[in-house]
């Protein structure tokens, strides 16, 4: 048996044709196309097409009319629950029982609806139970514009650009925790709604998709104190992590961080200066703190600043990430379906040896 690797670091679990970040961090390519070439030239819905269909056209369709049930305004939990619920409402069939074309169409329907659910949940969080009329949403030209219209009833072009760029940069990133989850569920032959909703759960944790939510409060604290060096050294002295730095794969700057930093600057992000200053100080401190492990800026640091341009509240950032990642998840679910192989790894048992039940704690008397 192969050696155990905690966190499966460096373990190759699949072969993929979709994307895989190169460790040295030079570039991120979706189906061979550098994301630098995509930002500013294509919209997110076309990038969804590139990832899922290997074609920019027809891309991601608009969502079907659908009224989500009891939205709480907590977007990740609304999204996870509603996505699972859609399998039943739409009668989605199991992946083992449908062909690739049907699976692709199920994923397109789900992707579009998931983005609409997040917009509706964000609207509830803002205190509006009534949806924005479809005629208003329909005036939007792109997925990002429609998303903002569905949420707020209006869409400032700067906000649209911020969201579109963020979604393009985070649409896919190889085998991270949520994508792995989606593939595991797909490998059991479950339906697409089950695979997508499971992925949302995996993405909601701060070590994967929730980091931007923690970056803005950090920037605010630094701005308030006016002492980034002191702030960073106190965090590290407590052995806490600086959110937005470090990556399981990259050992150099995350190319998405580079693109999003440029977008934050171009859009005149309010927190650009404080973010740049904190980045400079944090990188220097991390170099000293872990001289043997390169800890560079990751996508989530500059994502937080770009999403802030669009006034995205930090609690909503994991769900915004999920909106982007529906493309990558869909592509991986399809790829997994084509392999047709159940994912079932092994664990090395290190628990107690054989022993009588009486040796286990508790007062229960066996019947
Ligand atoms: N701040 C401070 N220390 C960090 C750090 C950070 N952002 N990221 C990693 N480290 C330290 C760890 O504490 C660990 O130190 P130790 O060996 O003394 O325990 C060491 O570097 C290696 O970290 P490890 O957790 O093994 O690396 P990983 O590959 O599992 O971590 C992340 C990847 C992303 C989970 C990690 O870098 C992190 O938690 N970053 C902050 C959260 C974040 O930005 N997430 C978004 C990812 S896109």
């Amino acid at each position: 048996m192969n050696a155990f690797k905690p966190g499966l670091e460096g373990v190759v679990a699949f072969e993929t044709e979709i994307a895989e970040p190169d460790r040295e961090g030079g570039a991120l390519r979706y189906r061979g196309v550098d994301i630098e070439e995509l930002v500013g030239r294509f919209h997110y819905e076309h990038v969804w097409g590139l990832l899922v269909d290997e074609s920019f056209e027809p891309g991601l369709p608009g969502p079907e009319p659908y009224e989500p049930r009891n939205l709480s305004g907590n977007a990740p939990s609304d999204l996870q629950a509603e996505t699972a619920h859609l399998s039943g409402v739409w009668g989605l069939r199991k992946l083992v029982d449908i062909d690739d074309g049907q699976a692709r169409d199920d994923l397109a329907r789900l992707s579009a609806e998931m983005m609409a659910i997040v917009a509706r949940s964000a609207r509830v969080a803002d205190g509006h139970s009534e949806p924005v009329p479809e005629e208003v949403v329909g005036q939007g030209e792109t997925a990002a514009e429609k998303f903002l219209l569905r949420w707020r009833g209006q869409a400032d072009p700067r906000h649209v650009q911020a969201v579109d760029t963020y979604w393009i940069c985070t649409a896919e990133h190889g085998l991270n925790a949520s994508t792995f989850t989606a593939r595991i569920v797909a490998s059991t032959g479950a339906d697409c709604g089950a695979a997508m909703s499971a992925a949302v759960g995996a993405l909601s944790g701060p070590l994967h998709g929730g980091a931007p939510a923690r970056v803005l409060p950090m920037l605010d604290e630094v701005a308030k104190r006016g002492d980034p060096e002191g702030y960073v050294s106190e965090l590290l002295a407590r052995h806490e992590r600086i959110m937005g730095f470090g990556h399981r794969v990259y050992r150099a700057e995350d190319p998405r961080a580079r693109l999003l930093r440029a977008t934050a600057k171009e859009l005149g992000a309010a927190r650009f200066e404080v973010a740049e200053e904190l980045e400079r100080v944090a990188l220097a401190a991390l170099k000293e703190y872990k001289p043997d492990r390169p800890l560079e800026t990751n996508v989530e640091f500059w994502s937080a600043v770009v999403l802030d341009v669009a006034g995205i509240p930090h609690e909503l950032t994991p769900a915004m990430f999920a909106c982007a990642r529906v493309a990558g998840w869909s592509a991986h679910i399809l790829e997994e379906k084509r392999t047709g192989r159940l994912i079932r790894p092994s664990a090395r048992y290190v628990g107690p040896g054989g022993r009588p039940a009486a040796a286990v704690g508790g007062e229960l008397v066996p019947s």
Side-chain angles (χ1 to χ4, degrees), residues 287-311:
K287 201 166 267 172
E288 229 172 82
Y289 178 66
K290 291 273 162 215
D292 300 330
R293 177 153 188 128
L295 293 170
E296 302 289 338
T297 318
N298 67 43
V299 64
E300 308 221 1
F301 186 77
W302 285 104
S303 291
V305 182
V306 167
L307 290 174
D308 184 44
V309 171

